[in-house]
Amino acid sequence: MPALEGLTVLDCATFVAAPFCCTLLGEFGAAVIKVEQPGIGDDLRRLGRRAATGQPDWWLVESRNKKSITCNLRTPEGQALLRRLAATADVLAENFRPGTMERWGLGWDDLRAVNRGLVMVRISAFGQTGPARERPGFGRIAAAVSGAAYLSGHPDRPPVSPGTPTIPDYLAGVFGAFGALTALRHRDRTGEGQVVDIGLYEPMLRMLDELVPVYGATGYVRERIGSATEYVVPHNHYATRDGRWIAIACTNDRMFERLAVKAMSQPELVREFPTMAARLARREDVDAAVGRWVGALDASDALARLDAAEVPCSRVASVRDIFEDAQVRARGNIMQMPSPLGGLLHMVAAVPRLSLTPGEVRHPGPLGVGADNEEIFCGRLGLSHDELAALRARGVV
């Protein structure tokens, strides 16, 4: 039996952050009901590169395992339907601007009145409190607010997006799922649900290692240094003779000795730079020496020598490299299944890997907006087919 079998999750959100929280719960057995606007659907249905049919694969992947219903939450009848669904749900996730759900009669107090044990995951740009609570925002804004964008890029160039602009969204989804499971554990003991409140920038802020304590103690502001790492060297990306890039990470003196002596055959570097402090004092010289060595070799040769010396290293992989990577293949990290659009749909498999109750992708995201209206409204809520037809005619579903 899947670990989260028996849990019901209402995904009332759009785009990536809160929906990804629900996707993670669905991969481990929760029944996830995606609530979409009638005739429009989630905006993610229209984002990303499109298949030959005109439909984006992004939606199919990130809405996997979900059922789709339509419900106009701006209408009293739609609000009443959602309250009925929430009465039998375990988790409800939303990412509207703070105050929106309250205006619809679907805020925490309203939903708690029909289900004392409900866990409500609320992901917004800046969280439910504070002077910026009602401001809009997306992943790029979260990266800027959190300080992550300030650190990303080269010192003589503008700040860049750290990875893809959606990394803050995905990270907020992970924290949302963690918060939901933590809250459910508390509910198991007390019967009480609660709110999980996440500002989109907050998980990124939590990831900034020593940045906050160092500034708090010394006032030091870390600046951009490209692909290098401030507190260790060599720890960078280096270009190879055949035009590839490889990553090398030496985080202590033993690793540097293996790099210099065993991989590079340049023991004089250990005598010249015996400690991390010595290497940090002459960062550019150390990186230049490693860069010259890497630059004289093809990527495969450099990586083979580094592996033989047990120096942490990797090709800086494109998505093509990921598909061809033997470790990725052995772990089954990329899976495929028939696409409702025809052909095969490739996607990243469920993470983490559980030994007894592993995650599972049962089907891609629902192709049709409201494809599961009859199953949920008639089967779960007990509406008649005539009642469902009347709601559809009035634009409620």
Side-chain angles (χ1 to χ4, degrees), residues 252-305:
N252 59 41
D253 296 337
R254 296 186 306 279
M255 289 181 187
F256 180 69
E257 183 176 359
R258 293 201 297 267
L259 170 65
V261 177
K262 295 183 178 180
M264 299 174 63
S265 300
Q266 297 181 36
E268 66 275 12
L269 292 177
V270 178
R271 295 190 292 272
E272 189 173 0
F273 306 108
T275 65
M276 185 63 73
R279 293 191 292 279
L280 288 171
R282 294 175 58 190
R283 172 190 295 276
E284 293 183 359
D285 293 335
V286 175
D287 264 339
V290 177
R292 285 192 298 271
W293 176 75
V294 171
L297 301 169
D298 289 344
S300 58
D301 190 9
L303 291 169
R305 297 187 191 198

Side-chain angles (χ1 to χ4, degrees), residues 217-231:
T218 68
Y220 174 72
V221 177
R222 189 193 298 181
E223 301 292 340
R224 293 185 293 284
I225 56 173
S227 58
T229 301
E230 179 168 278
Y231 39 83

Side-chain angles (χ1 to χ4, degrees), residues 141-321:
I141 307 307
V145 171
S146 70
Y150 186 87
L151 296 173
S152 302
H154 293 272
D156 57 342
R157 301 178 193 176
V160 300
S161 179
T164 70
T166 53
I167 286 178
D169 298 271
Y170 283 106
L171 195 56
V174 173
F175 272 73
F178 168 72
L181 294 174
T182 303
L184 289 170
R185 175 62 175 148
H186 171 78
R187 188 194 68 175
D188 290 343
R189 295 197 303 265
T190 67
E192 291 284 342
Q194 60 184 298
V195 173
V196 178
D197 176 12
I198 300 172
L200 196 59
Y201 72 95
E202 291 175 318
M204 293 292 284
L205 182 63
R206 181 64 180 85
M207 298 289 104
L208 296 183
D209 51 71
E210 64 168 12
L211 204 72
V212 169
V214 167
Y215 179 81
T218 68
Y220 174 72
V221 177
R222 189 193 298 181
E223 301 292 340
R224 293 185 293 284
I225 56 173
S227 58
T229 301
E230 179 168 278
Y231 39 83
V232 291
V233 65
H235 201 288
N236 212 326
H237 299 155
Y238 304 91
T240 64
R241 183 171 59 189
D242 55 347
R244 303 301 301 266
W245 288 87
I246 64 173
I248 297 175
C250 287
T251 56
N252 59 41
D253 296 337
R254 296 186 306 279
M255 289 181 187
F256 180 69
E257 183 176 359
R258 293 201 297 267
L259 170 65
V261 177
K262 295 183 178 180
M264 299 174 63
S265 300
Q266 297 181 36
E268 66 275 12
L269 292 177
V270 178
R271 295 190 292 272
E272 189 173 0
F273 306 108
T275 65
M276 185 63 73
R279 293 191 292 279
L280 288 171
R282 294 175 58 190
R283 172 190 295 276
E284 293 183 359
D285 293 335
V286 175
D287 264 339
V290 177
R292 285 192 298 271
W293 176 75
V294 171
L297 301 169
D298 289 344
S300 58
D301 190 9
L303 291 169
R305 297 187 191 198
L306 291 164
D307 280 334
E310 298 183 89
V311 174
C313 65
S314 173
R315 191 187 307 271
V316 178
S318 69
V319 68
R320 179 184 295 109
D321 297 321

Side-chain angles (χ1 to χ4, degrees), residues 12-147:
C12 300
T14 60
F15 290 112
V16 178
F20 185 60
C21 162
C22 301
T23 300
L24 292 174
L25 299 176
E27 288 172 3
F28 290 90
V32 182
I33 302 171
K34 177 75 181 177
V35 182
E36 302 189 71
Q37 180 74 3
I40 299 174
D42 193 318
D43 287 312
L44 193 62
R45 289 180 178 272
R46 292 171 289 280
L47 288 180
R49 289 184 178 268
R50 295 168 184 263
T53 60
Q55 297 284 343
D57 285 342
W58 198 0
W59 163 262
L60 298 177
V61 170
E62 297 308 353
S63 296
R64 61 200 194 187
N65 295 339
K66 298 181 182 181
K67 304 281 189 180
S68 170
I69 64 169
T70 49
C71 187
N72 189 345
L73 302 183
R74 294 165 177 81
T75 67
E77 287 179 292
Q79 294 156 10
L81 285 174
L82 189 72
R83 282 192 289 271
R84 288 181 62 184
L85 287 169
T88 61
D90 300 284
V91 177
L92 182 147
E94 61 96 5
N95 59 358
F96 298 103
R97 287 199 210 180
T100 301
M101 294 287 279
E102 282 73 13
R103 288 194 297 272
W104 292 341
L106 300 171
W108 170 241
D109 291 338
D110 302 293
L111 297 179
R112 188 175 185 276
V114 300
N115 185 349
R116 178 170 163 262
L118 183 69
V119 171
M120 189 176 190
V121 177
R122 315 193 75 171
I123 301 178
S124 59
F126 295 93
Q128 299 295 310
T129 60
R133 65 186 292 267
E134 294 186 13
R135 289 179 57 197
F138 290 93
R140 182 178 296 278
I141 307 307
V145 171
S146 70

